[in-house]
Amino acid sequence: MAAEGKTCGGCGACCKLPAIRELSKPAHQTCSNYVTGQGCSIYEQRPGSCRAFECGYLQNPELNDDWRPDRAGFLLYFAPGPRLVVETDLETPDTWRQEPYLSQLREWSNRSRPSPVEVVVRTGDHLTMIFPEGEITLGKDTGRAIVSGYRGVGERRRPFAEFAKPLAWTL
Ligand code: SF4
Ligand code: SF4
């Protein structure tokens, strides 16, 4: 549910960035039903995935208008993991590296938080995992699960993120 006082305004990023299965709309192409300055032209009949979607900016009352996706250049949403996905607009693929974004994303990525999440930047099919210590490039999404966390102890403790190894036959 949208946080009190939050509105989409003239954003429309979720009518461009995600694929919409019911409409066969590819990711990163503006939906043919989207009218600039007006929004969805089939609002009452829009597909279920459009009805169900609310981005992180809309849900989080603490995110100011710098985080509105059309201004930030990316949108936020939660996925199983639990994972916070930073879905970038391919026209502005690096704005998440700027402030105030990067510091906040690194803070959210702190695994010591009460409800830890993986924070993953998705740029097309390219993935990057954020940690407070820095970013780890995962590369092209293989479709396999991602494992991430810390290895080592003391000064040798380091974050890691990698795709799970394919299952091997053990007959
Ligand atoms: S990306 Fe978020 S703020 Fe933008 S239109 Fe969609 S729900 Fe609204
Ligand atoms: S159907 Fe409407 S709400 Fe859904 S992506 Fe297209 S313009 Fe946006």
Side-chain angles (χ1 to χ4, degrees):
M1 202 170 79
E4 193 177 337
K6 285 290 190 71
T7 64
C8 296
C11 175
C14 58
C15 300
K16 176 185 178 188
L17 272 54
I20 306 291
R21 180 179 30 88
E22 299 96 320
L23 300 173
S24 300
K25 185 194 92 58
H28 300 284
Q29 279 186 28
T30 300
C31 178
S32 58
N33 298 307
Y34 184 76
V35 180
T36 304
Q38 295 178 31
C40 181
S41 61
I42 59 161
Y43 189 76
E44 294 304 326
Q45 290 80 39
R46 68 197 188 287
S49 56
C50 301
R51 290 176 188 274
F53 185 81
E54 273 185 358
C55 74
Y57 160 78
L58 207 57
Q59 292 177 328
N60 187 336
E62 294 177 8
L63 294 184
N64 67 24
D65 283 354
D66 288 344
W67 291 80
R68 204 177 85 173
D70 59 326
R71 295 173 179 160
F74 57 81
L75 68 79
L76 304 172
Y77 62 90
F78 280 102
R83 183 173 300 158
L84 175 65
V85 180
V86 182
E87 179 88 44
T88 70
D89 188 325
L90 299 182
E91 294 177 33
T92 53
D94 293 317
T95 51
W96 62 273
R97 296 182 187 276
Q98 301 170 6
E99 297 299 344
Y101 310 121
L102 186 56
S103 297
Q104 181 64 77
L105 294 170
R106 284 181 172 172
E107 191 179 324
W108 285 332
S109 76
N110 188 337
R111 302 293 171 95
S112 303
R113 288 166 61 92
S115 302
V117 294
E118 294 176 326
V119 180
V120 176
V121 179
R122 172 179 283 281
T123 302
D125 62 0
H126 190 279
L127 302 179
T128 302
M129 179 84 66
I130 297 180
F131 286 92
E133 296 85 352
E135 288 67 62
I136 295 178
T137 300
L138 280 153
K140 189 173 167 43
D141 187 1
T142 63
R144 294 203 301 273
I146 297 170
V147 284
S148 71
Y150 285 81
R151 289 184 176 129
V153 291
E155 290 185 1
R156 296 183 140 192
R157 190 171 182 267
R158 298 272 188 281
F160 77 94
E162 59 198 24
F163 290 107
K165 304 259 183 308
L167 290 177
W169 289 96
T170 52
L171 297 175

